[in-house]
Amino acid sequence: ESIPLRVVAFHACFPDTPTYHFIRSVITVIVGSHNRARMNFHTGERTEILYKLLGFGIPVDLLPLTETGNVKLKNHQAWIKVRKVKEQRHYVLTTAAANSLSSSSFDDDTIECPGLNDVAFRFGTKYMSHPGNVMFWSLIESKSEQHSRASQEEKKEITWWVIRQVKQVKHGRFLSWNAKYGSWSVITDDAQTRTKVAVCFRDQKRRVQANSNFQVTESSTYEFERQDGNKRKRLNGKEVDECNCFNMS
């Protein structure tokens, strides 16, 4: 009860052996009745356990162990790097040397993890599933058609509308990845934010056009080919019919 966190659930993973079954019984007694309902025990092989954890929405790719049992240190080292930046900046700003040393090299808005409503700009598909990015792209899609038909001034207004929805309605922030410090920084320049949102509208338009062209190609060729029931094969670089009949020549 003294843990300074809101515990949602405990997930304990063990091999399916009698020894660990006994350990599970001991843990169940130790945690007490208050936390017993939050306990989840998983037994079996590694692959089986990972599938069970996925069923609870746990990102198993972030578990700090590889299939061979090696410890993953990438995320831990990245966290240490961010903490060093924060502590170094704090030291510079709180000592007498702060008057002679520039603190501009340290971000005032160093962020370790984006919030639920923050829009994170960084290359990589895994950030497309971030809740803030999902919300942001839903706004882009809702205004995509109107944006494509609008004039330049109207496009600017639609872009500012998206920015206001994120900042004022959702109370989110626009973040950019700082590779130097391994952390996120708030984009404070509104013009830079508007440019990034405008680029997202352009990318959305390209995706819509690509999907439309693909559907037109499918409907104009694939739907009508091979209606005679004959298969086609290539012979000497040419496509010929392969009929289910005897060759009479």
Side-chain angles (χ1 to χ4, degrees):
E1 295 180 359
S2 62
I3 298 177
L5 297 172
R6 184 175 65 89
V7 179
V8 177
F10 294 97
H11 292 271
C13 305
F14 302 108
D16 192 7
T17 61
T19 301
Y20 286 101
H21 283 292
F22 173 76
I23 295 175
R24 181 180 64 179
S25 301
V26 174
I27 293 176
T28 304
V29 175
I30 293 176
V31 296
S33 58
H34 178 71
N35 293 318
R36 197 167 296 160
R38 296 183 173 89
M39 290 296 302
N40 292 281
F41 293 97
H42 309 289
T43 58
E45 298 295 331
R46 174 184 172 82
T47 304
E48 183 181 2
I49 291 175
L50 291 180
Y51 275 111
K52 291 179 180 178
L53 294 177
L54 282 173
F56 287 89
I58 298 175
V60 296
D61 58 315
L62 298 180
L63 295 178
L65 284 177
T66 64
E67 295 182 359
T68 58
N70 296 326
V71 179
K72 299 179 183 178
L73 298 177
K74 181 179 179 180
N75 292 336
H76 181 66
Q77 291 172 347
W79 178 80
I80 291 177
K81 185 177 181 180
V82 174
R83 296 309 308 173
K84 285 183 177 180
V85 172
K86 282 181 170 289
E87 292 173 9
Q88 188 176 3
R89 175 179 173 274
H90 178 74
Y91 174 78
V92 170
L93 296 177
T94 56
T95 59
N99 295 326
S100 58
L101 295 178
S102 175
S103 61
S104 59
S105 60
F106 303 100
D107 292 326
D108 294 338
D109 300 315
T110 302
I111 300 171
E112 298 182 38
C113 182
L116 291 177
N117 292 326
D118 291 340
V119 180
F121 289 109
R122 185 185 180 184
F123 292 108
T125 56
K126 65 180 180 180
Y127 291 98
M128 293 298 293
S129 59
H130 175 66
N133 286 20
V134 173
M135 174 269 297
F136 170 72
W137 280 104
S138 67
L139 294 174
I140 294 292
E141 292 175 359
S142 66
K143 293 293 184 177
S144 177
E145 185 176 354
Q146 179 182 351
H147 185 272
S148 62
R149 299 195 309 264
S151 63
Q152 290 298 326
E153 291 299 323
E154 292 173 339
K155 288 181 178 180
K156 290 182 180 179
E157 181 56 34
I158 294 173
T159 302
W160 287 119
W161 177 85
V162 173
I163 296 174
R164 289 193 298 269
Q165 289 293 312
V166 174
K167 288 186 174 182
Q168 300 176 10
V169 179
K170 299 295 184 179
H171 303 289
R173 301 166 295 182
F174 290 92
L175 309 179
S176 63
W177 178 250
N178 190 328
K180 181 179 180 180
Y181 300 131
S183 61
W184 299 91
S185 301
V186 178
I187 302 176
T188 57
D189 187 357
D190 289 339
Q192 182 182 3
T193 303
R194 194 193 70 81
T195 301
K196 288 183 176 292
V197 175
V199 171
C200 291
F201 270 112
R202 183 192 64 189
D203 294 342
Q204 174 64 18
K205 182 179 179 180
R206 288 178 177 176
R207 279 195 291 267
V208 171
Q209 290 178 344
N211 292 335
S212 177
N213 293 337
F214 177 78
Q215 291 175 358
V216 169
T217 303
E218 285 287 309
S219 62
S220 62
T221 60
Y222 184 80
E223 182 178 354
F224 297 101
E225 71 177 359
R226 300 173 184 171
Q227 289 189 352
D228 54 0
N230 297 332
K231 298 181 179 179
R232 287 166 172 78
K233 66 178 181 179
R234 300 192 68 84
L235 182 63
N236 296 328
K238 298 181 180 180
E239 189 175 72
V240 298
D241 289 342
E242 185 180 17
C243 301
N244 295 323
C245 57
F246 293 102
N247 188 350
M248 301 300 295
S249 60

